[in-house]
Amino acid sequence: GETIASYYNKLRVAEAKRLIREKNLSLSEISDLLSFDSPNYFGKTFKRYVGLTPRAYRARYRGE
């Protein structure tokens, strides 16, 4: 019931959430690791699926 691109983005965002919680990587490094076109596109995609920006997600789940 969804496109391949949407499914792929869900997988990348799920992995981004794990990396944000468990690793000490910059958001730019995570964007690069997961093959997003740019950190800006990563942020927009992440917010679309999670409802928070990557920075806000990091602050919430890592206590920053």
Side-chain angles (χ1 to χ4, degrees), residues 20-47:
I20 289 170
R21 287 190 314 266
E22 298 176 6
K23 303 290 182 186
N24 192 20
L25 299 170
S26 73
L27 297 175
S28 182
E29 289 172 319
I30 293 171
S31 172
D32 287 343
L33 279 172
L34 298 176
S35 301
F36 281 93
D37 292 337
S38 70
N40 188 39
Y41 179 67
F42 167 58
K44 288 179 181 182
T45 303
F46 190 94
K47 186 168 183 176

